[in-house]
Amino acid sequence: GEEALTAYSGTVDRFPDNVVARSGLAETLRQLGRGEEALTAYSGTVDRFPDDVFARTGLAETLRQLGRGEEALTAYSGTVDLFPDNEVARNGLATCRLQAGDIVGARALLERLHYRTHQDWIAYHILAMSYLRDGAIAQAIPMFEHGLASTPFATDRRYFATALATARLRQRDYPAAERVLVLDFGSQYSQLI
């Protein structure tokens, strides 16, 4: 955290035209919970390097995390317009649309799923969440179960398990929700109750 911040700050001071260092500094600030500073750093980087997709997606994600949904939606939309095949930007825009209640618009961005990359599995999770948000729990549950059983990424399994437990709770199937939580969270879950 703080060591990375110091290293990136020093690099930006020495090489102010290094987009990687500037974006790294902004991302480190964001991960340290210093959102407004991250926003300033990302904004400056995007101003200087408008064709850098990492800086643009970082700016949009920072806006979203700060609760500035409309601005995040605009930032992600602009990024997808410039980089239509960038999965991070498409997933971010789909998330923003879903949070804004545009379920159809979110789903339209998630049509190209191949289940190869980490971003593909993130997109699949967003798609499954769109069904949960739409009240189509019977459609969402098999998707969450598939994601939980099939994703090769451990962090994604946690997201699928949490969403599956949430869907089971909405069905008032408390034993099934608890089985998912115990299976995925193990002893950590038992400490919560």
Side-chain angles (χ1 to χ4, degrees):
E2 291 296 328
E3 290 177 12
L5 190 60
T6 300
Y8 278 126
S9 293
T11 304
V12 169
D13 288 344
R14 290 181 60 208
F15 307 100
D17 290 326
N18 185 314
V19 68
V20 173
R22 292 175 71 90
S23 292
L25 173 63
E27 182 62 17
T28 302
L29 287 165
R30 186 175 74 81
Q31 290 184 8
L32 290 173
R34 294 165 62 177
E36 291 298 330
E37 292 172 82
L39 185 60
T40 300
Y42 270 128
S43 293
T45 303
V46 169
D47 287 345
R48 258 180 123 144
F49 306 96
D51 295 327
D52 187 77
V53 69
F54 184 81
R56 286 179 162 279
T57 56
L59 174 65
E61 183 60 20
T62 303
L63 287 164
R64 191 177 71 78
Q65 285 184 340
L66 290 172
R68 294 163 66 173
E70 286 295 320
E71 291 173 81
L73 186 64
T74 300
Y76 272 124
S77 291
T79 303
V80 169
D81 288 345
L82 289 172
F83 306 96
D85 294 325
N86 185 278
E87 294 173 321
V88 173
R90 290 174 67 84
N91 286 344
L93 180 56
T95 299
C96 285
R97 285 185 175 173
L98 186 59
Q99 290 173 337
D102 180 8
I103 293 170
V104 172
R107 287 180 187 158
L109 289 161
L110 305 171
E111 294 172 343
R112 301 187 284 172
L113 298 176
H114 304 289
Y115 311 111
R116 291 187 298 244
T117 69
H118 185 233
Q119 287 299 318
D120 287 338
W121 286 102
I122 291 171
Y124 185 71
H125 184 270
I126 298 166
L127 182 61
M129 289 299 293
S130 78
Y131 287 101
L132 183 63
R133 183 163 188 151
D134 202 19
I137 298 171
Q139 286 180 277
I141 286 177
M143 294 177 76
F144 293 136
E145 289 173 337
H146 173 70
L148 181 59
S150 302
T151 183
F153 302 99
T155 54
D156 293 344
R157 277 194 292 278
R158 176 78 32 106
Y159 291 121
F160 282 112
T162 302
L164 178 57
T166 300
R168 293 294 187 191
L169 287 171
R170 286 192 183 176
Q171 287 183 316
R172 299 191 192 300
D173 187 348
Y174 303 116
E178 185 172 27
R179 280 192 302 275
V180 172
L181 292 171
V182 168
L183 175 68
D184 192 60
F185 294 95
S187 62
Q188 294 172 348
Y189 168 72
S190 60
Q191 293 171 6
L192 294 173
I193 56 173

